[in-house]
Structures are given as C-alpha cells and as structure tokens.
Amino acid sequence: MKDMVQFGIRIRRLRQQNKYSLRELGERSGVSYSFINSIENNRFSPSRETVIALADALNSADKDELLLLAGFAPTEEEALDGPLGAGHAVDVDDPEVSLFFKDFKNAPKERRDEMLRFWHFIQEQQKTRTPGSEQ
C-alpha cells in the first residue's frame, strides 16, 4: 500500500520526535537533508535503500511500517525468516499480511489467544457454509 503523503508525514513526525534537524537526520542516515525535505513535502519518492537508511537513523521507527508506506515489501531479513520469524517460514506475497504476522508474533499472549479464537470461529463458519453461498 503506497501512501507517500503519509510516508512524508511519518518521517517528519519521527524526525521531530527524535529532535533532529533535517541536517542532523541527513548526517545520521547518509541521505541529503534537501532530499529528506523533499520526501517530507511529498516532492520525491525515496528508494528502498533510502527508506531503510532513514528508519535505521530514526529511533523508534518501525522499518517495515515505513517500507510498506513507501510501497515496498518488508525487510529482506523478515522475508528470509518468514513472517513468523526463524523456523516458521510461510510464503506470503502480500506485505500487509506479512506485517500482520509480525504484529501477531510480537503481540502479548492474551491478544494472540483472542486472535486465535477469532480464527477458529472463522474456520468453524467456513465448515458450515454450503457451496455457492455468500460469506
């Protein structure tokens, strides 16, 4: 889901939360401050490498969230491990689904249990469906 307006807003907000000037973020990320300004003002779209460099330079930035906003798949490390992490490889082509699995993996046990109960409910509903009926 590419949303460059939200991406620019998110970068500006993260930069301000970290109390970085454009120049300081530029020095920390290796991206020119004028290009960062253009990204924040939605004049240019960054490359995948630029998004990762900015995420690495910004404390508390969710790299996968920023990549998704910029229209890229989650990090290669995440893709290699699968959405559930090492040892749980699952083939997922949709970046949003991959982020769902990442959120599920990092959720507290109570939330995971609730999500699993909902999943089981959906499975039971699926079993009782007749062919050709609407969902």
Side-chain angles (χ1 to χ4, degrees), residues 117-135:
R117 280 192 301 276
F118 185 65
W119 175 247
H120 291 297
F121 170 78
I122 292 171
Q123 287 178 316
E124 288 301 315
Q125 294 296 313
Q126 197 69 10
K127 288 179 187 175
T128 61
R129 279 186 60 220
T130 57
S133 67
E134 292 186 22
Q135 291 185 358

Side-chain angles (χ1 to χ4, degrees), residues 10 14 18 54-66:
R10 186 77 177 120
L14 287 166
N18 283 278
L54 290 171
D56 288 343
L58 291 163
N59 296 330
S60 74
D62 183 334
K63 189 181 302 183
D64 289 333
E65 174 197 7
L66 293 177

Side-chain angles (χ1 to χ4, degrees), residues 35-96:
F35 189 65
I36 297 169
N37 185 52
S38 294
I39 291 169
E40 288 183 359
N41 291 298
N42 308 306
R43 288 192 296 266
F44 291 108
S45 297
S47 68
R48 178 184 178 81
E49 293 75 25
T50 298
V51 174
I52 291 171
L54 290 171
D56 288 343
L58 291 163
N59 296 330
S60 74
D62 183 334
K63 189 181 302 183
D64 289 333
E65 174 197 7
L66 293 177
L67 284 166
L68 186 62
L69 282 174
F72 299 106
T75 58
E76 291 176 21
E77 180 180 297
E78 181 82 11
L80 290 174
D81 286 344
L84 295 176
H88 295 92
V90 176
D91 187 22
V92 177
D93 293 334
D94 187 334
E96 289 183 10

Side-chain angles (χ1 to χ4, degrees), residues 13-25:
R13 187 173 300 135
L14 287 166
R15 179 177 61 79
Q16 292 170 342
Q17 286 174 356
N18 283 278
K19 299 182 179 10
Y20 294 159
S21 67
L22 284 167
R23 287 186 192 268
E24 189 172 3
L25 179 55

Side-chain angles (χ1 to χ4, degrees), residues 96-109:
E96 289 183 10
V97 173
S98 184
L99 284 177
F100 168 81
F101 281 113
K102 179 183 175 193
D103 288 344
F104 178 84
K105 180 182 87 170
N106 294 325
K109 183 178 181 343

